[in-house]
Every structure is written in C-alpha cells, then in structure tokens.
Amino acid sequence: MTPEELRARRLAGQRLAPRADRPVAGVVRALGAVQSQDLPGALLAVGQRSGATAAEVLAALDRGEVLRTHVLRPTWHLVAPEDLRPYVAATGVNVQRAAAPQLRRAGLDDARLRRLHEVVADRLRDGPATRPELATALDAAGVAVDGVGLANGIIHAESAAVLCSGPARERTQTYALVEDRTPPGPLPPRKAVLADLARRYLTTRGPATPADFRWWSGLNAADARLAVDAVRDEFERSEEDGRELLWPPGEVHPAEGVLLLPNFDEYVVAYADRAELLEERHRPLLDSRRNPIFQHVVVAAGAVVGTWSVAARARRLELTARLFEAPSAGLTDALEAAAVARYAAFREREVVLVVT
C-alpha cells in the first residue's frame, strides 16, 4: 500500500474526508474515544468531523450526549455515554496504574481512596460540582490532599466509574456521578468490550497495525492481541516491511484538500508510528519535542505540511500558518478556504489568515 492510499483511507475512516455534516455524538461513538486532554483542541477535532461549531460541541457535552473522562491511556477522552462504563471497566486498571506513583506520594492508600470515592459521590448526589467544591467536601470529611493528590484522586475515581464530566458552569468544568450521566444496565463481557474497541479502532483508524492499536488503547500486549485476533477476519490485511496492516474493506478516493487539525488530533495521535504522515526532514521544523501530536498541524492530502496557531485580535482571529516549504498557489487557496471558511464557521468569528 502506498503512503498516499494509506493517508486517504485514514482520512476517510476518521470522517475527515470527504467532508459531511454529522451528529456530534455519532462522530464520537464511531471513533470509540477522542483524546481530549486539551479541551479546545478536542472541540475542533469533533467539529472538523461533524461540521458543528465549538458552541454546539460544548452544548453536546453539557447535555451529556458526549462525556469526558480518563479512559484508555491515562488521559482525558470524549466517549459516548453508553460506552463509558464498559470502556472504563476494561481499561481503568491502566489509568490507575499510571496514577499510582502520584497517589502514593499524596498519601492516598487504598483505604483513603475508598473514602475519597465515598465523599466525592456523596457531594455529587447534591448535583454537579467543580474541582474546588470537591476539594472543600474532602477537607470537611478529613480527606485533605494537595492539588496533585486531588487531581490524581479524581482520576482514580473516574477510572472506577464514580464520576465523569458534568455540565459546564460559567465556563468551568464540573463533575457529575456516572450513574446520573450514563444509562444503567449490566456490563458486557470484557472480551466483547476489547473486541469492540479493536473493531471501532480499525474501522476508523485503519490502515493500522496491531502495535498502533495497542498504543492507542493502552492495553497490555496480551489483551491487545486478544482484541485484534477477535476481529481480524472482518478486515482487509497485508504484510508490509515486516508489519501487519489492517483496514476496513471498500474503495477510497485520493486524498485532497487542506485541514487544520488541533494538537492531539486522532489523525496523528492514534498511531505508534507516524512516519507516513510527516517527512523526517520536516521534523526539526516542529517544536523542540519534534513530535507532531503536540502542535496544531496543517494537513494537505493527508500529509503534515506545517503548523498553525491562532491569536485573538480586537474584532477577529488571526490564524498564522507556518508551512515547511513555500506553498503552491493551489495550496494557498485551499488553506485560505480551510482557515477562513471552515475555522471561521467553527469559531463563529471572522478569521484572517497569515502564511509564513
């Protein structure tokens, strides 16, 4: 498979091309989970795939049509409400393992963590609460912790399906009880959940390798292998350069157009190997980490060709695109459309483009 075909298939699977308006919740459900440690970036990631504005994605979060919690790898993800409990049950141990050193340093042993869960749940039965309000409740109950301990204690409670995101209050995130934000019911068998994770991943991120899936899911080698083995026969496959590629069957059109993708976008972050997306000679043009997941990237025909940033001015937004090479007229025109038309619609603001 050529890099061009690989990128075209990934763009199509990830709902990035061809462009179509879709329900916000449907996009998140199809992708399984959308990394959201940077919430503004996650809003754009969903907006690019759904046609929704930033305000519309936030409204879906407030209504609980999409939830934000720590799942898979130990970071925030957006998930559909019906997926939260199964995914947390299947991957919560990974999150807890990552948080364990900070919990120990904060003096949160198993007994104190159980007490933290109880106090937090009691407070949230009175309604959604902000992180400072949860800290106040913990102080009053004699479970005082510092800021780092509080953050990791909340992560532990998320990974135990005690709490998740609630509706924003004056632009401040709140937490709510999982039982108030997700449908009740028995959990499916863990093997079925793992297979579902692999199926959704390969359907939307393929062509991808089992190693890519293991990275994205945060599963150990045995669980990742079990998940992929359960669904392998549903996908096309090839062996290339000593690695197995899997992808959903079907034709795909060549990748075209320009996209402005945020940091941690699934198109970049969902793979252990990103060599097909970025030429090695361009890596020094990124920031000091030389990793495209940490920056907003300009993507043309599926390849990362630059980075971008945005700054607020008096009456408009100024979007600066820093391209790795001098652009053609066609690329400039496509970038203008992507920046001024799509990004302006997403932000509901006037946008002026500067290309360097």
Side-chain angles (χ1 to χ4, degrees), residues 103 106-123 131-154 156-157:
L103 293 171
L108 286 168
D109 57 16
D110 290 346
R112 293 195 78 205
L113 279 171
R114 284 194 296 271
R115 180 61 179 148
L116 182 147
H117 289 190
E118 292 169 358
V119 172
V120 164
D122 285 343
R123 171 59 185 84
R131 182 174 294 190
E133 289 168 345
L134 294 180
T136 298
L138 289 167
D139 287 345
V143 196
V145 289
D146 63 16
V148 174
L150 175 63
N152 283 276
I154 288 175
H156 192 279

Short mmCIF file of all heavy atoms in Angstrom, two decimals, residues 103 106-123 131-154 156-157:
data_model
loop_
_atom_site.label_atom_id
_atom_site.label_comp_id
_atom_site.label_asym_id
_atom_site.label_seq_id
_atom_site.Cartn_x
_atom_site.Cartn_y
_atom_site.Cartn_z
N LEU A 103 -0.42 9.02 43.60
CA LEU A 103 -1.32 8.72 44.71
C LEU A 103 -0.53 8.33 45.95
O LEU A 103 -0.86 8.76 47.07
CB LEU A 103 -2.28 7.58 44.31
CG LEU A 103 -3.29 7.92 43.21
CD1 LEU A 103 -4.01 6.66 42.75
CD2 LEU A 103 -4.31 8.96 43.70
N ALA A 106 0.92 11.33 47.56
CA ALA A 106 -0.11 12.14 48.23
C ALA A 106 -0.67 11.44 49.46
O ALA A 106 -1.55 11.99 50.14
CB ALA A 106 -1.24 12.44 47.25
N GLY A 107 -0.16 10.24 49.76
CA GLY A 107 -0.64 9.51 50.94
C GLY A 107 -2.01 8.90 50.75
O GLY A 107 -2.70 8.61 51.74
N LEU A 108 -2.40 8.68 49.52
CA LEU A 108 -3.71 8.10 49.24
C LEU A 108 -3.56 6.59 49.05
O LEU A 108 -3.41 6.08 47.94
CB LEU A 108 -4.34 8.74 48.00
CG LEU A 108 -4.87 10.18 48.21
CD1 LEU A 108 -5.18 10.84 46.88
CD2 LEU A 108 -6.10 10.17 49.10
N ASP A 109 -3.61 5.85 50.16
CA ASP A 109 -3.59 4.40 50.09
C ASP A 109 -4.99 3.89 49.76
O ASP A 109 -5.92 4.68 49.54
CB ASP A 109 -3.06 3.80 51.39
CG ASP A 109 -3.88 4.23 52.61
OD1 ASP A 109 -5.02 4.74 52.44
OD2 ASP A 109 -3.39 4.06 53.74
N ASP A 110 -5.17 2.59 49.72
CA ASP A 110 -6.46 2.03 49.31
C ASP A 110 -7.60 2.50 50.20
O ASP A 110 -8.69 2.83 49.71
CB ASP A 110 -6.39 0.50 49.31
CG ASP A 110 -5.51 -0.05 48.20
OD1 ASP A 110 -5.18 0.72 47.27
OD2 ASP A 110 -5.17 -1.25 48.25
N ALA A 111 -7.36 2.55 51.52
CA ALA A 111 -8.42 2.96 52.45
C ALA A 111 -8.81 4.42 52.21
O ALA A 111 -10.01 4.75 52.19
CB ALA A 111 -7.96 2.75 53.89
N ARG A 112 -7.82 5.29 52.04
CA ARG A 112 -8.13 6.70 51.81
C ARG A 112 -8.77 6.92 50.44
O ARG A 112 -9.62 7.80 50.28
CB ARG A 112 -6.88 7.56 51.95
CG ARG A 112 -6.32 7.62 53.38
CD ARG A 112 -5.32 8.75 53.52
NE ARG A 112 -6.00 10.04 53.64
CZ ARG A 112 -5.44 11.20 53.30
NH1 ARG A 112 -4.23 11.23 52.78
NH2 ARG A 112 -6.11 12.33 53.47
N LEU A 113 -8.39 6.12 49.46
CA LEU A 113 -9.02 6.24 48.15
C LEU A 113 -10.49 5.83 48.22
O LEU A 113 -11.36 6.48 47.61
CB LEU A 113 -8.29 5.37 47.12
CG LEU A 113 -7.01 5.97 46.53
CD1 LEU A 113 -6.28 4.94 45.70
CD2 LEU A 113 -7.34 7.21 45.68
N ARG A 114 -10.79 4.76 48.96
CA ARG A 114 -12.20 4.37 49.12
C ARG A 114 -12.98 5.49 49.79
O ARG A 114 -14.12 5.79 49.39
CB ARG A 114 -12.30 3.08 49.95
CG ARG A 114 -11.92 1.82 49.19
CD ARG A 114 -12.38 0.57 49.94
NE ARG A 114 -11.69 0.45 51.23
CZ ARG A 114 -10.53 -0.18 51.39
NH1 ARG A 114 -9.91 -0.73 50.35
NH2 ARG A 114 -9.99 -0.27 52.59
N ARG A 115 -12.37 6.10 50.80
CA ARG A 115 -13.04 7.21 51.48
C ARG A 115 -13.22 8.40 50.54
O ARG A 115 -14.27 9.05 50.54
CB ARG A 115 -12.23 7.63 52.71
CG ARG A 115 -12.84 8.77 53.50
CD ARG A 115 -14.20 8.41 54.04
NE ARG A 115 -14.78 9.51 54.83
CZ ARG A 115 -16.07 9.77 54.91
NH1 ARG A 115 -16.95 9.01 54.25
NH2 ARG A 115 -16.50 10.77 55.64
N LEU A 116 -12.21 8.67 49.71
CA LEU A 116 -12.33 9.76 48.73
C LEU A 116 -13.49 9.49 47.78
O LEU A 116 -14.29 10.40 47.49
CB LEU A 116 -11.01 9.90 47.96
CG LEU A 116 -10.92 11.00 46.91
CD1 LEU A 116 -9.48 11.54 46.84
CD2 LEU A 116 -11.32 10.51 45.52
N HIS A 117 -13.60 8.26 47.31
CA HIS A 117 -14.72 7.92 46.42
C HIS A 117 -16.05 8.18 47.12
O HIS A 117 -16.99 8.72 46.51
CB HIS A 117 -14.64 6.44 46.01
CG HIS A 117 -13.53 6.13 45.07
ND1 HIS A 117 -13.42 4.91 44.44
CD2 HIS A 117 -12.46 6.85 44.65
CE1 HIS A 117 -12.35 4.90 43.67
NE2 HIS A 117 -11.74 6.05 43.80
N GLU A 118 -16.16 7.78 48.37
CA GLU A 118 -17.42 7.94 49.10
C GLU A 118 -17.77 9.41 49.27
O GLU A 118 -18.93 9.82 49.05
CB GLU A 118 -17.30 7.29 50.49
CG GLU A 118 -17.19 5.77 50.46
CD GLU A 118 -16.81 5.20 51.82
OE1 GLU A 118 -16.59 6.01 52.77
OE2 GLU A 118 -16.72 3.96 51.95
N VAL A 119 -16.79 10.23 49.66
CA VAL A 119 -17.06 11.65 49.90
C VAL A 119 -17.43 12.35 48.59
O VAL A 119 -18.39 13.15 48.55
CB VAL A 119 -15.82 12.32 50.53
CG1 VAL A 119 -16.01 13.83 50.62
CG2 VAL A 119 -15.56 11.74 51.92
N VAL A 120 -16.69 12.06 47.53
CA VAL A 120 -16.98 12.68 46.24
C VAL A 120 -18.39 12.28 45.77
O VAL A 120 -19.16 13.12 45.30
CB VAL A 120 -15.91 12.26 45.21
CG1 VAL A 120 -16.37 12.55 43.79
CG2 VAL A 120 -14.60 12.98 45.50
N ALA A 121 -18.73 11.01 45.88
CA ALA A 121 -20.05 10.55 45.46
C ALA A 121 -21.14 11.22 46.28
O ALA A 121 -22.18 11.64 45.72
CB ALA A 121 -20.15 9.04 45.56
N ASP A 122 -20.95 11.34 47.60
CA ASP A 122 -21.95 12.00 48.43
C ASP A 122 -22.15 13.45 48.01
O ASP A 122 -23.29 13.94 47.94
CB ASP A 122 -21.52 11.96 49.91
CG ASP A 122 -21.70 10.58 50.52
OD1 ASP A 122 -22.44 9.76 49.93
OD2 ASP A 122 -21.12 10.32 51.59
N ARG A 123 -21.04 14.14 47.72
CA ARG A 123 -21.17 15.55 47.30
C ARG A 123 -21.89 15.65 45.97
O ARG A 123 -22.75 16.53 45.78
CB ARG A 123 -19.78 16.18 47.20
CG ARG A 123 -19.75 17.58 46.56
CD ARG A 123 -20.61 18.58 47.34
NE ARG A 123 -20.68 19.86 46.66
CZ ARG A 123 -21.54 20.15 45.68
NH1 ARG A 123 -22.41 19.21 45.24
NH2 ARG A 123 -21.55 21.34 45.13
N ARG A 131 -14.09 21.21 40.67
CA ARG A 131 -12.99 20.59 41.41
C ARG A 131 -12.77 21.29 42.76
O ARG A 131 -12.59 20.60 43.77
CB ARG A 131 -11.71 20.60 40.57
CG ARG A 131 -10.54 19.94 41.27
CD ARG A 131 -9.32 19.83 40.40
NE ARG A 131 -9.55 18.92 39.28
CZ ARG A 131 -8.59 18.48 38.47
NH1 ARG A 131 -7.34 18.88 38.64
NH2 ARG A 131 -8.87 17.65 37.47
N PRO A 132 -12.77 22.64 42.85
CA PRO A 132 -12.63 23.27 44.18
C PRO A 132 -13.74 22.87 45.14
O PRO A 132 -13.50 22.72 46.35
CB PRO A 132 -12.66 24.77 43.87
CG PRO A 132 -12.17 24.87 42.47
CD PRO A 132 -12.70 23.66 41.78
N GLU A 133 -14.94 22.68 44.63
CA GLU A 133 -16.04 22.26 45.52
C GLU A 133 -15.83 20.84 46.02
O GLU A 133 -16.15 20.54 47.18
CB GLU A 133 -17.37 22.40 44.77
CG GLU A 133 -17.78 23.86 44.55
CD GLU A 133 -18.93 24.02 43.58
OE1 GLU A 133 -19.25 23.06 42.85
OE2 GLU A 133 -19.51 25.13 43.54
N LEU A 134 -15.27 19.98 45.18
CA LEU A 134 -14.94 18.63 45.65
C LEU A 134 -13.83 18.69 46.69
O LEU A 134 -13.85 17.95 47.68
CB LEU A 134 -14.52 17.75 44.47
CG LEU A 134 -15.60 17.41 43.44
CD1 LEU A 134 -15.03 16.52 42.35
CD2 LEU A 134 -16.82 16.76 44.08
N ALA A 135 -12.85 19.57 46.49
CA ALA A 135 -11.78 19.72 47.46
C ALA A 135 -12.33 20.17 48.81
O ALA A 135 -11.90 19.69 49.87
CB ALA A 135 -10.75 20.72 46.95
N THR A 136 -13.28 21.09 48.79
CA THR A 136 -13.90 21.57 50.04
C THR A 136 -14.60 20.43 50.76
O THR A 136 -14.49 20.28 51.99
CB THR A 136 -14.89 22.70 49.73
OG1 THR A 136 -14.17 23.80 49.14
CG2 THR A 136 -15.58 23.18 50.99
N ALA A 137 -15.33 19.61 50.02
CA ALA A 137 -16.03 18.48 50.63
C ALA A 137 -15.04 17.49 51.23
O ALA A 137 -15.27 16.94 52.32
CB ALA A 137 -16.91 17.79 49.59
N LEU A 138 -13.93 17.24 50.54
CA LEU A 138 -12.92 16.32 51.06
C LEU A 138 -12.26 16.88 52.31
O LEU A 138 -12.02 16.15 53.29
CB LEU A 138 -11.87 16.03 49.99
CG LEU A 138 -12.35 15.16 48.81
CD1 LEU A 138 -11.35 15.21 47.66
CD2 LEU A 138 -12.57 13.72 49.26
N ASP A 139 -11.98 18.17 52.32
CA ASP A 139 -11.39 18.80 53.51
C ASP A 139 -12.32 18.63 54.71
O ASP A 139 -11.88 18.28 55.82
CB ASP A 139 -11.14 20.29 53.26
CG ASP A 139 -9.96 20.54 52.33
OD1 ASP A 139 -9.17 19.60 52.12
OD2 ASP A 139 -9.83 21.67 51.83
N ALA A 140 -13.60 18.89 54.48
CA ALA A 140 -14.57 18.80 55.58
C ALA A 140 -14.70 17.38 56.11
O ALA A 140 -15.02 17.16 57.29
CB ALA A 140 -15.93 19.30 55.09
N ALA A 141 -14.42 16.40 55.25
CA ALA A 141 -14.54 14.99 55.65
C ALA A 141 -13.22 14.43 56.18
O ALA A 141 -13.14 13.23 56.47
CB ALA A 141 -15.02 14.15 54.47
N GLY A 142 -12.20 15.28 56.27
CA GLY A 142 -10.91 14.82 56.78
C GLY A 142 -10.07 14.06 55.79
O GLY A 142 -9.20 13.27 56.17
N VAL A 143 -10.30 14.29 54.50
CA VAL A 143 -9.51 13.63 53.46
C VAL A 143 -8.77 14.69 52.65
O VAL A 143 -8.77 14.68 51.42
CB VAL A 143 -10.39 12.76 52.53
CG1 VAL A 143 -9.54 11.78 51.73
CG2 VAL A 143 -11.43 11.99 53.31
N ALA A 144 -8.18 15.63 53.34
CA ALA A 144 -7.50 16.74 52.67
C ALA A 144 -6.29 16.22 51.88
O ALA A 144 -5.52 15.40 52.36
CB ALA A 144 -7.05 17.77 53.69
N VAL A 145 -6.14 16.72 50.65
CA VAL A 145 -4.99 16.39 49.80
C VAL A 145 -4.54 17.65 49.09
O VAL A 145 -5.31 18.61 48.95
CB VAL A 145 -5.35 15.30 48.76
CG1 VAL A 145 -5.54 13.95 49.40
CG2 VAL A 145 -6.60 15.68 47.96
N ASP A 146 -3.28 17.65 48.63
CA ASP A 146 -2.81 18.81 47.88
C ASP A 146 -3.37 18.76 46.46
O ASP A 146 -4.11 17.84 46.09
CB ASP A 146 -1.28 18.88 47.89
CG ASP A 146 -0.63 17.66 47.22
OD1 ASP A 146 -1.31 16.93 46.49
OD2 ASP A 146 0.58 17.46 47.44
N GLY A 147 -2.97 19.75 45.65
CA GLY A 147 -3.53 19.84 44.30
C GLY A 147 -3.24 18.64 43.43
O GLY A 147 -4.12 18.13 42.72
N VAL A 148 -2.00 18.15 43.50
CA VAL A 148 -1.63 16.98 42.70
C VAL A 148 -2.38 15.74 43.19
O VAL A 148 -2.87 14.94 42.41
CB VAL A 148 -0.11 16.76 42.74
CG1 VAL A 148 0.26 15.47 42.03
CG2 VAL A 148 0.62 17.94 42.11
N GLY A 149 -2.47 15.61 44.51
CA GLY A 149 -3.20 14.48 45.06
C GLY A 149 -4.67 14.52 44.69
O GLY A 149 -5.28 13.48 44.38
N LEU A 150 -5.25 15.73 44.72
CA LEU A 150 -6.66 15.86 44.34
C LEU A 150 -6.86 15.47 42.87
O LEU A 150 -7.79 14.72 42.55
CB LEU A 150 -7.12 17.30 44.57
CG LEU A 150 -8.55 17.62 44.11
CD1 LEU A 150 -9.56 16.80 44.90
CD2 LEU A 150 -8.83 19.12 44.25
N ALA A 151 -5.99 15.98 42.00
CA ALA A 151 -6.13 15.68 40.57
C ALA A 151 -6.06 14.18 40.33
O ALA A 151 -6.88 13.61 39.60
CB ALA A 151 -5.05 16.40 39.78
N ASN A 152 -5.10 13.51 40.96
CA ASN A 152 -4.94 12.08 40.74
C ASN A 152 -6.00 11.26 41.47
O ASN A 152 -6.39 10.19 41.02
CB ASN A 152 -3.54 11.64 41.13
CG ASN A 152 -2.51 12.03 40.09
OD1 ASN A 152 -2.30 11.34 39.11
ND2 ASN A 152 -1.87 13.18 40.30
N GLY A 153 -6.50 11.78 42.61
CA GLY A 153 -7.61 11.12 43.28
C GLY A 153 -8.87 11.15 42.43
O GLY A 153 -9.62 10.17 42.36
N ILE A 154 -9.09 12.28 41.74
CA ILE A 154 -10.24 12.38 40.85
C ILE A 154 -10.06 11.44 39.65
O ILE A 154 -11.01 10.77 39.22
CB ILE A 154 -10.44 13.84 40.40
CG1 ILE A 154 -10.98 14.68 41.57
CG2 ILE A 154 -11.41 13.92 39.21
CD1 ILE A 154 -11.10 16.15 41.27
N HIS A 156 -8.48 8.66 39.68
CA HIS A 156 -8.76 7.32 40.18
C HIS A 156 -10.27 7.09 40.28
O HIS A 156 -10.77 6.00 39.92
CB HIS A 156 -8.10 7.13 41.54
CG HIS A 156 -8.08 5.70 42.01
ND1 HIS A 156 -9.17 5.10 42.61
CD2 HIS A 156 -7.11 4.75 41.96
CE1 HIS A 156 -8.87 3.85 42.92
NE2 HIS A 156 -7.63 3.61 42.53
N ALA A 157 -11.00 8.09 40.72
CA ALA A 157 -12.45 7.96 40.83
C ALA A 157 -13.09 7.85 39.45
O ALA A 157 -14.08 7.12 39.27
CB ALA A 157 -13.04 9.14 41.60
#
